[in-house]
């Protein structure tokens, strides 16, 4: 440990920085070990599992630049595919404050990154890690009763919370309702079967074999998982938008997160949208700038399409845009905007 610390101090010294300029010492140390960088968070894949036909689990060993996460948050995972850096947000399933980060990625039809990882992920490969973000987290003062509901890949932040609570020896009441298409596609079944102190109920939407619940979500499912459910019970739901909305209709206090891009649109301003690097000009129809660019035949980089991963960020050089998630309106000066959630307000120039 002393040797490693001394080595890093030497490599961070002004003299070494001067000698390795203009690229900096990280550009040289990464030639020896790709994750040995202090300025950029990266991780080495140390284990790969494919627990179902539609999911791959990666165990990552981050470098010292990664600041960690709170259970329930998501991180941006960057992988190189055909020479291009692709970024997608994923929620770790591991407990917070653990050395390794576990990501379980659901394979989606047409999903570029999810399919690439399922088919090509291997121990030893290096990936990029962005800072953790998101407020779908447990409060510092843990509630006495907690009900989790998830659907599909929404299980990953819930698993992180459950594992964190168990690591803390949480003594309150915990219940968990999870929906999957079938038992074969339900991740973490074996672990949940042996998770003492957690009432687990499963609902399968395309097969009744092994299902604990009848049909799709309904208030009876909540009552079965957490009898005497009241406003003091902390409810967390993560999954498709329809599931999130249905749970919140019965539990308005529920904290929620959805991985499905929202349907975003605003009133068409009729302004001229100029994509300055390509020379294309269109008339604003109210949709997000990303969708309008694609309709014009452009292929800008994008990832989550919901304002999380920032991979679609482009420079607005003129005009005003509105963030369709927050409602915030930009100023007229040049600035970077996320085109997946921004719509023009009048004439706009985008460096694309």
């Amino acid at each position: 440990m002393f040797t490693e610390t001394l080595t890093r101090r030497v490599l961070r010294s002004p003299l070494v920085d001067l000698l390795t300029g203009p690229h900096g010492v990280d550009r040289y140390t990464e030639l020896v070990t790709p994750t040995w960088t202090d300025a950029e968070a990266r991780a080495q894949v140390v284990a790969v599992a494919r627990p179902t036909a539609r999911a791959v689990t990666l165990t990552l060993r981050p470098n010292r630049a990664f600041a960690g996460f709170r259970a329930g948050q998501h991180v941006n995972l960057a992988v190189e595919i055909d020479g291009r850096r692709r970024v997608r947000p994923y929620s770790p399933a591991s407990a917070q404050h653990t050395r390794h980060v576990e990501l379980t990625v659901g394979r989606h039809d047409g999903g570029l990154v999810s399919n690439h990882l399922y088919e090509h992920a291997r121990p030893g490969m290096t990936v990029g890690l962005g800072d953790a973000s998101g407020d779908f987290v447990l409060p510092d003062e843990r509630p006495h009763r907690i009900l989790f509901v998830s659907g599909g890949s929404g299980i990953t932040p819930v698993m992180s919370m459950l594992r964190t609570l168990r690591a803390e020896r949480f003594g309150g009441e915990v219940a968990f309702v999870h929906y999957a298409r079938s038992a074969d596609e339900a991740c973490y079944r074996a672990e949940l079967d042996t998770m003492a102190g957690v009432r687990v109920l499963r609902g399968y939407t395309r097969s009744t074999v092994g299902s604990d619940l009848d049909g799709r979500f309904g208030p009876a499912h909540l009552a079965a998982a957490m009898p005497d459910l009241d406003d003091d019970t902390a409810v967390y739901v993560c999954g498709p938008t329809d599931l999130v909305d249905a749970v919140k209709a019965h539990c308005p206090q529920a904290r929620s997160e959805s991985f499905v891009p929202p349907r975003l649109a605003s009133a068409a301003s009729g302004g001229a949208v100029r994509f300055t690097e390509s020379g294309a000009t269109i008339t604003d129809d109210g949709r997000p700038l990303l969708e309008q660019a694609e309709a014009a035949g452009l292929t800008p980089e994008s990832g989550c399409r919901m304002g999380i991963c920032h991979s679609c960020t482009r420079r607005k050089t003129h005009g005003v845009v509105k963030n369709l998630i927050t409602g915030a309106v930009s100023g007229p000066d040049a600035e970077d905007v996320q085109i997946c959630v921004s719509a023009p307000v009048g004439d706009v120039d985008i460096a694309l």
Side-chain angles (χ1 to χ4, degrees):
M1 178 64 72
F2 175 77
T3 302
E4 179 184 353
T5 301
L6 179 61
T7 301
R8 287 185 176 275
R9 286 180 179 176
V10 172
L11 292 175
R12 294 300 103 196
S13 69
L15 176 60
V16 171
D17 188 60
L18 176 63
L19 294 174
T20 57
H23 304 293
V25 68
D26 281 349
R27 297 288 78 84
Y28 295 91
T29 58
E30 68 182 0
L31 296 176
V32 180
T33 303
T35 57
W36 196 6
T37 64
D38 279 353
E40 182 178 345
R42 298 179 184 175
Q44 183 181 55
V45 178
V46 297
V48 178
R50 292 170 177 81
T52 76
R54 298 184 64 85
V56 58
T57 298
L58 312 179
T59 303
L60 310 178
R61 182 170 60 224
N63 64 5
R64 294 163 62 96
F66 181 62
F69 65 94
R70 292 180 64 185
Q73 289 187 308
H74 49 259
V75 298
N76 284 337
L77 181 76
V79 297
E80 186 173 299
I81 303 176
D82 296 331
R84 294 186 64 181
R85 179 182 170 92
R86 306 287 185 169
V87 180
R88 298 292 188 272
Y90 296 114
S91 293
S94 45
Q96 63 187 43
H97 307 311
T98 55
R99 180 186 179 191
H100 290 163
V101 175
E102 180 180 298
L103 300 178
T104 292
V105 178
R107 188 178 192 179
H108 301 289
D109 295 337
L112 177 64
V113 174
S114 64
N115 281 285
H116 175 83
L117 291 173
Y118 187 90
E119 295 168 1
H120 301 291
R122 67 191 187 285
M125 70 183 292
T126 300
V127 296
L129 283 179
D131 291 337
S133 60
D135 57 4
F136 185 68
V137 296
L138 293 167
D140 293 333
E141 184 176 347
R142 307 304 195 209
H144 295 296
R145 304 179 83 215
I146 308 175
L147 171 60
F148 296 107
V149 182
S150 69
S153 59
I155 194 174
T156 54
V158 172
M159 287 302 301
S160 181
M161 293 182 184
L162 288 172
R163 287 169 164 174
T164 298
L165 291 173
R166 285 178 58 78
E168 296 172 353
R169 300 185 183 278
F170 177 73
E173 184 179 359
V174 182
F176 177 32
V177 179
H178 177 63
Y179 297 91
R181 296 200 289 191
S182 67
D184 291 338
E185 294 189 21
C187 295
Y188 299 106
R189 278 194 303 156
E191 181 176 349
L192 289 169
D193 285 341
T194 60
M195 190 172 283
V198 180
R199 184 185 301 112
V200 178
L201 297 178
R202 299 179 180 86
Y204 300 135
T205 58
R206 297 190 181 182
S207 172
T208 59
V209 178
S211 181
D212 302 309
L213 303 166
D214 293 328
R216 294 181 178 269
F217 170 80
H221 294 182
L222 298 180
M226 183 73 76
D228 302 321
L229 182 65
D230 56 29
D231 292 340
D232 293 328
T233 302
V235 180
Y236 291 81
V237 54
C238 184
T241 304
D242 290 345
L243 174 63
V244 170
D245 292 344
V247 172
K248 295 190 74 170
H250 297 283
C251 302
Q253 80 275 21
R255 298 285 295 274
S256 64
E257 184 165 87
S258 178
F259 295 147
V260 179
R263 299 181 182 89
L264 301 175
S266 66
S269 68
V273 181
R274 288 177 286 270
F275 300 111
T276 56
E277 293 183 358
S278 63
T281 299
I282 61 173
T283 300
D284 171 44
D285 61 12
R287 290 181 296 168
L289 281 162
L290 173 60
E291 294 183 23
Q292 297 196 56
E294 291 174 335
L298 306 182
T299 56
E301 174 71 15
S302 66
C304 67
R305 307 180 78 91
M306 55 196 302
I308 295 176
C309 73
H310 294 269
S311 62
C312 70
T313 300
R314 292 294 182 274
R315 191 72 172 172
K316 172 182 68 67
T317 56
H318 169 76
V320 175
V321 298
K322 178 180 180 180
N323 186 302
L324 298 177
I325 298 288
T326 66
V329 176
S330 76
D333 298 329
E335 61 182 310
D336 292 335
V337 298
Q338 295 171 268
I339 62 173
C340 72
V341 294
S342 297
V345 180
D347 296 344
V348 170
D349 291 355
I350 298 290
L352 176 63

